[in-house]
Amino acid sequence: MADMSYDDLVENFEYLDDWEERYRYVIELGKALPPLDEARKTDETKVDGCVSRVWIDSRAVSEASGSGDAETRIEFDGDSDAHIVRGLIAILHTMLSGKTAREIADKDVASELQRLDLAAHLSPQRSNGLGAMVERIKGVAATHAG
């Protein structure tokens, strides 16, 4: 999964004929997501606003860019006790983890997710939870995008 781009993921989605197959694919993405170590499942990493239990553990990684300025990348791992939510975390991980803080802060995640047509097929609670996960990641990025 680590070497798959978001465009690859969108393309895979488009090959699947119906939403039952797409749900299975999302669940498979979640199964491929490495589990989050229990020690990282804390109140600080727990995402509020989700029906299932969800943790997103983010870290900022600074690296020098070619111009000599430090560039901060945001990496994150996540986990959930619900298979479909683990898959949603995997989708967000593919889309956002390892990008610069500025790229994440500026990205229109909702429009990127529309490419998968998820909103029409998730329950309102799952959609709210997905929004809460996106807000958590974008919030971390915004604090480092300075």
Side-chain angles (χ1 to χ4, degrees), residues 45-47 50 52-56 79-81 85 89 133:
T45 62
K46 190 168 186 303
V47 179
C50 299
S52 49
R53 296 187 317 157
V54 178
W55 300 269
I56 304 253
D79 207 345
S80 174
D81 57 0
V85 177
I89 294 167
M133 289 187 279

Side-chain angles (χ1 to χ4, degrees), residues 59-122:
R59 62 203 164 280
V61 179
S62 291
E63 53 188 51
S65 66
S67 64
D69 295 330
E71 192 170 63
T72 301
R73 295 192 176 280
I74 305 299
E75 296 176 356
F76 66 89
D77 300 303
D79 207 345
S80 174
D81 57 0
H83 293 300
I84 194 83
V85 177
R86 280 182 59 82
L88 296 175
I89 294 167
I91 289 169
L92 292 176
H93 189 273
T94 300
M95 182 194 305
L96 300 171
S97 189
K99 305 284 187 216
T100 67
R102 173 60 46 216
E103 285 176 300
I104 294 171
D106 290 347
K107 184 173 279 301
D108 183 351
V109 175
S111 94
E112 283 295 316
L113 287 172
Q114 282 178 351
R115 294 172 61 196
L116 300 176
D117 194 27
L118 283 173
H121 300 279
L122 292 177

